[in-house]
């Protein structure tokens, strides 16, 4: 879980324990947490794709060079 | 200091009276050995032991508080109040950042005698202007302390002097009358007790005093929300809540007086178990004997004092509390839904997948709050708390105990420990009741399965 989101989740749970809030506040918090987690996964995916694109751009995608020179890059680029 | 005569042994303690604050120091009670404290934090009074001078009155005992020492200067009895920021433990586990006097919220109790000429120095160590209003006291208009009207504001760092004679005995209070809403919400108030000139008049054996105040302090925070008008979560006596409020100890046969003032924004019906009492004093004066009627609960209006008296003739641990039952709770949410009668077993499983630490609460009431200890947010108190000799107690807020015991020494105000019940005097369980309880003939204890709700809808206006 994301560190900031974890703080919010933990504090929400503590407030529930203290009967400051009820479960109808816990559930939206859980939803927010899930949305944040999905957004984090999406962001990580976008990062890896972008980094791969960058590597390809820097090293070359093998189309101009010989394929045998950069097998790793080709494999990574193939994932796009 | 010239030929000033000092009150008992406080001279050395407050020799800085002329300039420096003596806030934060211990207070003296003007009576040898009169010790009243439960926690180490409030063990103020030991220093008076050995004092040889006793005043000609029964000194009051301020719950979780103290009486301000004074000195005699000619015919004047001189006190020195210092308004300053303080840290107050509301109950073990929670501290509030308040404003108070001489190191504490509430300020120390001022005690004097009818006919005394009282001079009070007031030094301001707050970040803003203030004044002191002497609530209920009969005095010259220029001493009444309303900022802008009766006097200029006392600015930070300044010291003002109030001088007036005590025209009558009774229970009064002092509080600011400059930015009053904020300053009282921050904890600035104190009791002012004037004893009768005739020491035999209305004499009691134990005389307790406290004022009520309310704070709105969100979990995890330390400073009260000063703009709050209704939704308070800490209903305090002398800025303390149960189980942090001193117990009221009395020996069997003692005549007991309890003086109660109200600085909150709602009335408090204060109820004492096991006794009936009479209201003998308001801040307007003593109630003539012919006008006193018996009560078990007395409503203390906003901005007023009541004093009740009774003879502590029935030993035991008697609860003493505000009967507005939201006021015998500590911090809690007031928008929490009611789940009584709602089965949450299946729901709980589903929610636990999303919120692993979820535990369904409230389906059978809220008593489990008193029995369970769960991790709470920082700097807050469980809404119900405390443990007695039979298990979880459950109250909070404006709750204390009257503890009446045989043979308690007159100077003994320590917590005597839970009452030891004589055998056979406690309610007990019986497994085979011999009688069948009579019930109302058409009693309905569960909703009928075939309840049909008929909804009659009004015809909607036709659109044309």
């Amino acid at each position: 879980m994301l560190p900031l989101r974890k703080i919010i989740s933990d504090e929400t749970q503590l407030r529930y324990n203290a009967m400051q809030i009820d479960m109808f506040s816990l559930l939206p918090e859980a939803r927010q947490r899930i949305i944040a987690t999905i957004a984090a996964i999406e962001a990580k995916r976008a990062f890896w794709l972008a980094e791969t694109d960058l590597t390809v751009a820097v090293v070359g995608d093998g189309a101009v060079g010989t394929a045998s020179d950069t097998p790793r890059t080709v494999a990574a680029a193939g994932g796009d | 200091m010239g030929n000033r005569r000092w009150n008992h042994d406080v001279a050395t303690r407050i020799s800085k009276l002329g300039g420096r604050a003596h806030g934060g120091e211990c207070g003296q009670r003007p009576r040898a050995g009169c010790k009243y404290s439960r926690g180490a934090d409030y063990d103020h009074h030991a220093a008076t032991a050995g004092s040889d001078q006793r005043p000609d009155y029964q000194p009051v005992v301020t719950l979780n508080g103290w009486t301000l020492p004074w000195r005699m200067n000619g015919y004047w009895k001189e006190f020195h109040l210092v308004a300053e920021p303080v840290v107050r433990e509301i109950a073990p586990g929670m501290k509030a950042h308040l404003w108070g006097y001489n190191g504490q919220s509430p300020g120390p109790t001022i005690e004097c005698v009818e006919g005394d000429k009282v001079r009070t120095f007031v030094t301001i160590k707050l970040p803003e202007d203030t004044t002191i209003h002497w609530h209920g006291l009969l005095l010259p208009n220029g001493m009444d302390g309303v900022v802008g009207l009766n006097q200029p504001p006392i600015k930070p760092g300044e010291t003002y002097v109030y001088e007036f004679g005590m025209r009558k005995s009774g229970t009064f209070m002092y509080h600011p009358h400059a930015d009053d809403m904020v300053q009282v919400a921050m904890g600035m108030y104190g009791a002012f007790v004037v004893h009768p000139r005739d020491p035999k008049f209305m004499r009691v054996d134990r005389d307790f005093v406290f004022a009520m105040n309310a704070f709105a302090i969100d979990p995890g925070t330390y400073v009260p929300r000063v703009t709050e008008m209704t939704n308070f979560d800490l209903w305090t006596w002398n800025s303390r809540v149960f189980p942090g409020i001193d117990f009221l100890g009395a020996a069997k046969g003692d005549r007991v007086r309890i003086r109660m003032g109200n600085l909150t924004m709602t009335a408090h019906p204060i109820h004492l178990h096991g006794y009936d009492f009479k209201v003998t004093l308001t801040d307007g004066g003593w109630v003539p004997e012919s006008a006193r009627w018996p009560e078990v609960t007395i409503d203390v209006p906003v901005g007023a004092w009541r004093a009740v008296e009774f003879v502590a003739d029935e030993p035991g641990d008697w609860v003493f509390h505000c009967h507005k039952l939201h006021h015998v709770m500590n911090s809690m949410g007031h928008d929490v839904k009611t789940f009584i009668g709602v089965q949450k077993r299946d729901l709980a499983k589903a929610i636990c997948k999303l919120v692993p630490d979820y535990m369904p609460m409230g389906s059978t009431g809220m008593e489990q709050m008193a029995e369970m200890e769960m991790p709470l947010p920082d700097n807050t108190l469980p809404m119900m708390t405390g443990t007695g000799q039979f298990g979880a107690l459950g109250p909070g807020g404006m709750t204390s105990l009257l503890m009446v015991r045989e043979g308690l020494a007159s100077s003994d105000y320590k917590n005597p420990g839970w009452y030891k019940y004589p055998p056979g005097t406690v309610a007990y369980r019986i497994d085979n009741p011999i009688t069948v309880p009579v019930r109302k003939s058409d009693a309905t204890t569960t909703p009928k399965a075939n309840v049909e709700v008929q909804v009659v809808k009004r015809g909607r206006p036709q659109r044309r």
Side-chain angles (χ1 to χ4, degrees):
Chain A
M1 209 190 304
L2 296 172
L4 184 59
R5 202 67 230 176
K6 178 160 171 48
I7 292 171
I8 297 171
S9 288
D10 290 348
E11 286 298 321
T12 307
Q13 180 69 45
L14 292 176
R15 278 170 189 245
Y16 175 80
N17 291 351
M19 267 206 181
Q20 294 281 346
I21 56 171
D22 58 28
M23 68 176 201
F24 292 112
S25 305
L26 275 186
L27 292 176
E29 205 297 307
R31 181 164 60 190
Q32 288 299 315
R33 195 185 67 226
I34 291 166
I35 289 171
T37 307
I38 291 172
I41 292 168
E42 296 277 349
K44 245 180 200 162
R45 176 175 176 272
F47 167 77
W48 285 115
L49 291 178
E51 188 183 77
T52 306
D53 285 346
L54 178 66
T55 309
V56 168
V58 170
V59 180
D61 63 358
V64 289
T66 57
S68 58
D69 288 348
T70 55
R72 264 179 29 194
T73 307
V74 169
D80 193 350
Chain B
M1 294 294 167
N3 56 0
R4 285 170 184 172
R5 191 160 62 82
W6 289 75
N7 168 255
H8 48 88
D9 62 350
V10 304
T12 50
R13 307 291 310 272
I14 56 165
S15 55
K16 311 154 208 156
L17 191 65
R20 255 189 66 192
H22 48 279
E25 285 192 25
C26 296
Q28 274 78 11
R29 183 176 307 287
R31 180 176 171 192
C34 181
K35 191 173 169 190
Y36 191 76
S37 75
R38 285 195 302 134
D41 294 358
Y42 299 101
D43 196 21
H44 302 303
H45 312 308
T48 45
S51 162
D52 53 348
Q53 221 175 324
R54 290 169 65 142
D56 208 5
Y57 54 79
Q58 177 64 47
V60 294
V61 168
T62 309
L63 298 189
N64 304 99
W66 55 297
T67 289
L68 188 61
W70 68 89
R71 64 179 180 188
M72 290 308 295
N73 182 3
Y75 290 111
W76 291 88
K77 197 174 260 185
E78 292 185 340
F79 295 89
H80 194 162
L81 287 173
V82 181
E84 59 187 352
V86 299
V87 175
R88 175 65 155 172
E89 186 189 62
I90 301 289
M94 178 179 184
K95 288 194 164 103
H97 294 181
L98 305 176
W99 289 351
Y101 298 96
N102 302 46
Q104 196 184 67
S105 164
T109 299
I110 293 179
E111 272 186 276
C112 52
V113 179
E114 185 185 2
D116 278 354
K117 292 156 83 78
V118 170
R119 177 181 290 137
T120 312
F121 299 91
V122 178
T123 300
I124 307 303
K125 292 191 163 185
L126 293 174
E128 74 165 345
D129 303 349
T130 186
T131 63
I132 291 200
H133 166 59
W134 311 94
H135 183 110
L137 284 152
L138 303 181
L139 38 64
N141 190 228
M143 294 291 153
D144 201 40
V146 178
V147 71
L149 180 71
N150 307 128
Q151 68 165 83
I154 314 177
K155 300 200 170 299
E158 291 182 343
T159 299
Y160 269 53
V161 178
Y162 293 88
E163 295 173 332
F164 48 92
M166 298 299 118
R167 295 186 193 170
K168 66 174 187 181
S169 57
T171 325
F172 313 99
M173 61 181 162
Y174 59 90
H175 64 75
H177 225 298
D179 199 12
D180 346 347
M181 180 198 83
V182 166
Q183 295 188 3
V184 175
M186 286 294 285
M188 296 181 74
Y189 60 99
F192 197 120
V193 174
V194 185
H195 295 280
R197 171 57 56 186
D198 174 5
K200 294 189 193 72
F201 178 71
M202 300 300 291
R203 184 84 176 202
V204 291
D205 302 303
R206 311 237 172 188
D207 200 341
F208 297 95
V209 61
F210 66 89
M212 301 178 242
N213 199 7
F215 297 107
I217 303 178
D218 292 324
T221 69
Y222 291 82
V223 178
R225 287 199 314 273
V226 293
T227 53
E228 184 55 59
M229 192 168 81
T230 53
N231 195 22
F232 298 94
D233 62 341
L234 293 164
W235 299 93
T236 72
W237 288 356
N238 278 357
S239 303
R240 297 273 284 180
V241 297
F242 184 88
I245 301 175
D246 278 340
F247 296 160
L248 290 74
K252 188 183 175 188
D254 275 354
R255 185 164 185 84
V256 178
R257 177 185 297 133
I258 308 173
R259 307 169 190 245
M260 306 170 282
N262 183 359
L263 271 150
T264 72
M265 283 183 265
T266 185
H268 296 286
I270 304 298
H271 175 53
L272 175 60
H273 289 208
Y275 283 90
D276 48 35
F277 52 69
K278 285 184 175 156
V279 179
T280 54
L281 176 69
T282 76
D283 33 1
W286 297 98
V287 180
E289 198 164 355
S290 58
R292 295 173 202 156
W293 68 91
E295 285 281 15
V296 296
T297 301
I298 179 67
D299 206 34
V300 183
V302 179
W305 283 81
R306 297 286 179 268
V308 300
E309 288 179 29
F310 57 92
V311 175
D313 51 9
E314 187 69 36
D317 293 337
W318 301 105
V319 177
F320 176 54
H321 64 99
C322 176
H323 219 293
K324 285 186 176 169
L325 299 179
H326 274 60
H327 299 173
V328 293
M329 289 287 128
N330 287 335
S331 197
M332 62 177 285
H334 295 121
D335 294 324
V336 172
K337 307 281 185 300
T338 301
F339 293 106
I340 292 172
V342 178
Q343 274 298 352
K344 289 200 282 191
R345 234 171 268 137
D346 296 338
L347 186 63
K349 273 183 212 153
I351 294 178
C352 276
K353 281 185 198 153
L354 296 168
V355 187
D357 292 335
Y358 169 76
M359 186 194 301
M361 288 194 283
S363 291
T364 58
M366 294 186 182
E367 179 62 20
Q368 65 192 114
M369 283 298 290
E371 293 160 0
M372 280 189 304
E373 278 192 24
M374 287 197 288
L376 296 181
D378 286 343
N379 204 44
T380 191
L381 294 165
M383 95 191 216
M384 300 187 223
T385 184
T387 307
Q389 57 180 313
F390 298 110
L393 265 170
M398 294 177 161
T399 306
S400 187
L401 297 179
L402 172 70
M403 300 177 113
V404 181
R405 298 289 186 274
E406 303 249 15
L408 215 58
S410 66
S411 60
D412 189 356
Y413 287 85
K414 288 190 305 290
N415 181 351
W418 302 120
Y419 182 57
K420 292 183 182 63
Y421 291 94
T425 63
V426 176
Y428 57 97
R429 193 180 80 176
I430 185 165
D431 292 326
N432 298 303
I434 49 168
T435 58
V436 179
V438 179
R439 322 180 72 182
K440 204 164 175 297
S441 57
D442 59 346
T444 312
T445 56
T446 49
K448 286 203 180 71
N450 58 350
V451 167
E452 194 175 308
V453 180
Q454 298 214 338
V455 180
V456 181
K457 286 185 174 171
R458 284 188 189 160
R460 266 194 294 181
Q462 297 285 325
R463 248 196 253 170
R464 294 178 185 181

